Amino acid sequence: MSKRDYYEILGVGKSVGGEEIKKAYRKLAVKYHPDRNQGNAEAEEKFKEATEAYEVLADTKKRQTYDQFGHAGLGGSGGMGGGGFDSSIFSGFEDLFGGDLSSIFGSFFGGGGRSAQQRGARGNDLRYPMELTFSEAVYGCKKEVVFRRTGACGTCDGTGSKDGKEQTCTQCNGMGQVRRSQGPFSVAATCPGCQGSGQVITNPCGSCRGSGRQQTEQRVSVTVPAGVDNENRIRLEGQGDRGRGARASAGDLYIVFMVRAHSHFERHEHDMYCVLPLSLSQAALGGTMYLQTLDEKKVKLKVPAGWQSGKKMRIKGEGIPYLGNSSRKGDLYVQLTVRTPQKPSAKAKKLFEELAKVQEDKDDPGLIALRDLPRD
């Protein structure tokens, strides 16, 4: 099979300079590096192909030869297929990647320049779903939650050691990381001997088997802020699982809110909505009505004569508080809907019949133009 053109592999033109070559290769190396694509043979092949192209095009003499004679001109001296990597080409890799290569791939390999004590093996974050009533979500409340977490072992006080002693890990010499070569790269990985702590326990605690951790029941008081909604969450720092090793930090606890629906009120962002029934006479004649709000206040509503069913009234400042600023609130919208009596009394029925005669009700009233419908 014939080899692909090196410029085509890197996705650059033949006139580009060395910086463009570096930039193109860097992008491909990060994308296709084997440690980021473990088990992906195609990605590994593309990584090797890109590295071979860069090895040639980054070298001025090899590039000139390649431009003049193509792959045939390189013979066995160019590319990985001709005898492995040319170490001189990669002596400038720190410049290419802006420093230690582990900083480029640290998110994949657990690398970095921190000490084992700083790095640790941070504990897992936990998620606790908390159910709230509609009123609790709107006005806030305090609740106590009880949950299971991995905490410090009570026998060894979290050290993992029966006698409290640790020794420096011989596999990583206390660094918490081991380095391995991948072609021209040198990448860091968590030490398998100490799991990144840099220390090993020679006399492990019998209760936790050297982990320093045990399952415990935890009680935490939670202040629910006013105005929370479904899927809102708050973070309680350090209340998650304890990390591995005495120096490792604990994870966090995330309280995720689930708000139960209310039978009479509904939320739309920061506004609340409810429906108040009107009789035919109240709608026709108008009058004063009283509404009990969510916080059980009584609000007076003045209904003008000739009220059209479905129109809404707005009560400013009686809606949902804004998170982080409970003094600011949305509005309450009250939809006043005319309710027709389903089983009118004989007297009421007679009055309706009289009203129909007075109004000269028609059995073919015609349609109402949409633009004439009542608006909020």
Side-chain angles (χ1 to χ4, degrees), residues 305-343:
W307 184 266
Q308 298 299 302
S309 182
K311 286 189 66 178
K312 296 183 183 73
M313 283 188 177
R314 184 178 70 158
I315 305 175
K316 295 185 68 174
E318 288 294 337
I320 310 293
Y322 280 67
L323 269 175
N325 184 10
S326 58
S327 61
R328 183 186 177 193
K329 297 181 180 180
D331 301 326
L332 172 62
Y333 288 87
V334 185
Q335 180 177 308
L336 290 95
T337 300
V338 176
R339 299 193 71 173
T340 305
Q342 294 180 326
K343 295 180 179 180

Side-chain angles (χ1 to χ4, degrees), residues 108 166 214 265 267 312:
F108 314 129
E166 293 179 328
Q214 281 183 329
F265 292 90
R267 174 178 184 165
K312 296 183 183 73

Side-chain angles (χ1 to χ4, degrees), residues 122-184:
R122 183 181 182 274
N124 294 324
D125 292 333
L126 299 179
R127 184 182 189 274
Y128 184 94
M130 177 183 285
E131 189 175 62
L132 301 173
T133 66
F134 191 86
S135 296
E136 287 173 335
V138 172
Y139 299 117
C141 61
K142 284 193 175 183
K143 283 182 171 286
E144 185 178 69
V145 300
V146 181
F147 61 100
R148 301 285 295 177
R149 69 185 288 252
T150 302
C153 172
T155 304
C156 64
D157 198 26
T159 64
S161 174
K162 186 179 290 186
D163 54 14
K165 295 179 180 179
E166 293 179 328
Q167 289 184 357
T168 301
C169 176
T170 57
Q171 289 191 46
C172 63
N173 294 321
M175 294 301 295
Q177 290 184 335
V178 291
R179 302 190 72 85
R180 57 191 175 88
S181 297
Q182 180 72 49

Side-chain angles (χ1 to χ4, degrees), residues 175-372:
M175 294 301 295
Q177 290 184 335
V178 291
R179 302 190 72 85
R180 57 191 175 88
S181 297
Q182 180 72 49
F185 294 94
S186 176
V187 294
T190 301
C191 175
C194 62
Q195 281 73 50
S197 68
Q199 303 291 314
V200 292
I201 296 167
T202 56
N203 191 10
C205 168
S207 298
C208 64
R209 297 181 180 179
S211 69
R213 310 190 305 166
Q214 281 183 329
Q215 280 286 307
T216 60
E217 186 179 272
Q218 185 83 1
R219 291 179 180 269
V220 176
S221 179
V222 178
T223 300
V224 180
V228 298
D229 201 357
N230 276 310
E231 296 302 319
N232 284 164
R233 66 181 190 175
I234 57 175
R235 180 173 68 97
L236 301 182
E237 187 176 358
Q239 293 296 333
D241 281 344
R242 186 179 187 271
R244 291 185 179 276
R247 306 174 191 86
S249 60
D252 300 327
L253 173 66
Y254 288 89
I255 307 292
V256 183
F257 300 112
M258 300 180 298
V259 184
R260 295 203 299 265
H262 196 279
S263 56
H264 296 103
F265 292 90
E266 193 172 277
R267 174 178 184 165
H268 293 273
E269 296 184 351
H270 293 100
D271 296 326
M272 263 195 298
Y273 290 78
C274 64
V275 179
L276 191 66
L278 288 178
S279 68
L280 287 170
S281 56
Q282 287 172 321
L285 302 175
T288 300
M289 300 190 69
Y290 292 91
L291 167 73
Q292 184 169 294
T293 61
L294 183 65
D295 57 351
E296 300 183 350
K297 291 190 300 186
K298 276 196 172 181
V299 177
K300 182 192 291 186
L301 301 177
K302 290 188 176 180
V303 182
W307 184 266
Q308 298 299 302
S309 182
K311 286 189 66 178
K312 296 183 183 73
M313 283 188 177
R314 184 178 70 158
I315 305 175
K316 295 185 68 174
E318 288 294 337
I320 310 293
Y322 280 67
L323 269 175
N325 184 10
S326 58
S327 61
R328 183 186 177 193
K329 297 181 180 180
D331 301 326
L332 172 62
Y333 288 87
V334 185
Q335 180 177 308
L336 290 95
T337 300
V338 176
R339 299 193 71 173
T340 305
Q342 294 180 326
K343 295 180 179 180
S345 64
K347 184 176 181 180
K349 188 175 181 180
K350 187 174 181 180
L351 290 172
F352 278 125
E353 289 171 350
E354 289 295 323
L355 180 62
K357 291 178 183 178
V358 172
Q359 294 184 150
E360 298 181 349
D361 290 347
K362 299 178 181 179
D363 57 8
D364 59 343
L367 298 174
I368 297 175
L370 294 176
R371 64 176 176 274
D372 294 334

